[in-house]
Amino acid sequence: MLLQEAEKKADAKVNDIVIRNINKVYSRNPTVDLSAVLDQQLKVYTKLRIALRAVATTSSDEDDEKSTENIILPEHAHLSIPNDAKVIREFGPDLKSLAQSHATTSQNEPIASIKDSKDSDGIYAGLNKAIYSSKIIHGLGSTYVLALSSTLVVKIGRHIDLAHIETLKHIQQYAKSVPIPTIHGVLESQHLQFVFMSKADGITLESIWPRLGLIQKLNTIAAKHDLSGDQIGTRTS
C-alpha cells in the first residue's frame, strides 16, 4: 500500500513537472507554437515517470523534493532539433566544430566523435546544447535568431523560405561589398526549419527603419521585391 502511494505521488510530480515546463515556455511567448515542446515532453514523459517512481520508492520525501525541483526544460527547448530532422544543406566545418564542442557528457567526455554530416546523433545533441545555452537576438512571431557563438547564429522558424538561401548566394557573388552571412547548414523537421549561418556585421534594417524617410523606405521595399522576384502589391505563397 505504501509502495502504491509513493508511485502515485511520483506520477503526480511528473505531471506537475510537465505542466510547469509547458507553462514556462508559454509565459515567455503566449503565441509560441507549442508543437516542438509537446513532442519533446512526449518523448521524455514515460522515462520520467519510471525514474521518479524509482526515486520515490527508495528515498525520503526531502530527498525526493531535491531530486525533482530542477527538472525543467532549458530556456529554448521548444526550439530544439528533433531526431527526425532532415539535412537540407550539409554542415560546414565550423558548425561541426561547434557541435563537437557542446556534445559532451557531464564528465566532459565526447558523446560521439563527429566525423561527417551523417553523424546526426552527435551533431544534433551538440547543436541542441548550443541552442539551450544561446541568446535570442531577434524574435518575430514564431521565428527566432539565436546567437550560438560570437561568429555563428541560427534562424529557427515554422515558415522560413529556404529558397532565399540561393538569393543570398547570388548577392554574395555579384555584390561582394554587401555583408552577407555564409550558410553553414540547413535542417528541416515537421514543424521547424533551422538555418545556421555566420553572424554578419552591420546594421539591421529593423533598427534603422524608423529613421528612414518615405523615399528611402519605398526604395528599400522595391529593392527587396527586385531581389526576391516578386511584384509589389502581390503576395507569393
Side-chain angles (χ1 to χ4, degrees):
M1 193 69 178
L2 289 176
L3 178 61
Q4 290 180 341
E5 288 299 319
E7 289 180 342
K8 287 181 179 179
K9 186 176 179 181
D11 291 343
K13 281 180 180 277
V14 172
N15 292 340
D16 179 66
I17 290 168
V18 170
I19 296 301
R20 279 193 290 120
N21 286 342
I22 295 173
N23 281 335
K24 183 178 179 183
V25 175
Y26 171 79
S27 64
R28 292 194 187 96
N29 180 6
T31 64
V32 68
D33 178 7
L34 290 171
S35 301
V37 181
L38 297 175
D39 284 346
Q40 196 271 352
Q41 290 297 311
L42 182 61
K43 290 175 183 177
V44 303
Y45 184 73
T46 301
K47 294 180 180 179
L48 197 55
R49 281 174 68 95
I50 294 172
L52 262 66
R53 279 189 175 198
V55 169
T57 56
T58 58
S59 61
S60 66
D61 288 344
E62 183 178 353
D63 290 337
D64 195 15
E65 287 293 332
K66 289 180 179 179
S67 67
T68 61
E69 63 183 2
N70 292 320
I71 303 179
I72 57 175
L73 281 171
E75 184 177 2
H76 311 320
H78 63 295
L79 302 176
S80 61
I81 303 168
N83 293 333
D84 60 353
K86 297 180 180 178
V87 177
I88 304 300
R89 188 183 178 103
E90 293 296 315
F91 302 117
D94 289 347
L95 188 61
K96 288 164 60 178
S97 177
L98 176 75
Q100 182 69 78
S101 68
H102 283 82
T104 56
T105 65
S106 57
Q107 287 79 31
N108 262 354
E109 292 296 326
I111 290 175
S113 176
I114 299 176
K115 298 178 180 179
D116 53 48
S117 297
K118 295 181 181 179
D119 182 13
S120 60
D121 289 343
I123 290 180
Y124 290 4
L127 292 180
N128 275 333
K129 281 196 172 184
I131 288 172
Y132 296 161
S133 61
S134 66
K135 177 183 178 182
I136 295 178
I137 57 177
H138 178 73
L140 181 62
S142 61
T143 301
Y144 298 86
V145 177
L146 280 61
L148 302 179
S149 70
S150 60
T151 58
L152 291 174
V153 301
V154 58
K155 183 178 182 180
I156 306 175
R158 286 203 58 169
H159 305 292
I160 297 176
D161 181 11
L162 299 181
H164 84 283
I165 294 174
E166 294 302 317
T167 302
L168 291 179
K169 288 174 61 178
H170 180 83
I171 298 174
Q172 212 167 26
Q173 182 178 356
Y174 294 102
K176 299 185 183 298
S177 62
V178 177
I180 298 297
T182 300
I183 304 299
H184 290 274
V186 179
L187 294 172
E188 186 171 29
S189 68
Q190 183 178 359
H191 300 294
L192 295 170
Q193 293 89 35
F194 303 79
V195 180
F196 298 90
M197 64 187 83
S198 60
K199 186 177 181 181
D201 295 326
I203 301 172
T204 64
L205 178 60
E206 180 185 31
S207 66
I208 66 169
W209 186 258
R211 303 198 300 272
L212 296 179
L214 177 61
I215 299 301
Q216 290 174 311
K217 289 181 178 179
L218 291 175
N219 288 339
T220 301
I221 294 171
K224 183 267 180 187
H225 284 278
D226 286 343
L227 287 172
S228 62
D230 299 339
Q231 292 182 353
I232 295 178
T234 64
R235 183 175 180 178
T236 57
S237 58

